[in-house]
Amino acid sequence: MEKYLMQMVMGCIGAVGFAVLFNVSRDKLLYIVSASALSWMGYAVCMLYGTGVFWAFFCGTAVAALISEILARVVQAPVLMLLVPILIPLIPGGDLYHMMSNLVRGNDPEVLRYGRLLLLEAGAIALGIICVASFMSILTSLRRRRHS
């Protein structure tokens, strides 16, 4: 549990760093830190309960995407401006590093293992974003129909 808490703190610092890099205004930084922590908690809870890497990344990303969609409407900001820094802690950089390191060393079985894992994680991230964006689009469409 301590491991995930430390990872969450480091992820929040990374999220703030990228938010500053993307010129996100200071009043939105607290939202990004909070959402980043919640998305990492979604990932960590899934990992602790043994759901597997795909579902952990999917849940963490879905939490991040849902929070960024809601926050975008609340703080009047583009969704991507919030989503990208919030997702930074979930980027599978370690697996990419190990895949490339093994590729340079010529260790093909490990390249395939890490490459497969990397594609699985990236696919879960993409699917989480797509599912939430589609859900919000349908929800917005239904609300417009109801009010017209």
Side-chain angles (χ1 to χ4, degrees), residues 36-102:
S36 171
L38 288 173
S39 70
W40 187 260
M41 281 196 296
Y43 167 82
V45 165
C46 288
M47 289 301 286
L48 284 172
Y49 284 106
T51 61
V53 174
F54 178 85
W55 291 110
F57 272 92
F58 178 82
C59 289
T61 302
V63 168
L66 185 61
I67 292 172
S68 63
E69 288 275 355
I70 293 167
L71 278 177
R73 287 158 176 80
V74 171
V75 299
Q76 300 295 310
V79 174
L80 281 178
M81 184 184 80
L82 300 169
L83 181 60
V84 171
I86 292 170
L87 280 179
I88 289 301
L90 291 173
I91 301 299
D95 293 331
L96 179 60
Y97 168 79
H98 289 297
M99 185 187 81
M100 294 307 294
S101 176
N102 285 303

Side-chain angles (χ1 to χ4, degrees), residues 3-13 36-37 40-41:
K3 175 179 97 170
Y4 289 116
L5 184 61
M6 182 58 81
Q7 289 175 351
M8 184 180 69
V9 169
M10 293 294 119
C12 289
I13 292 170
S36 171
W40 187 260
M41 281 196 296

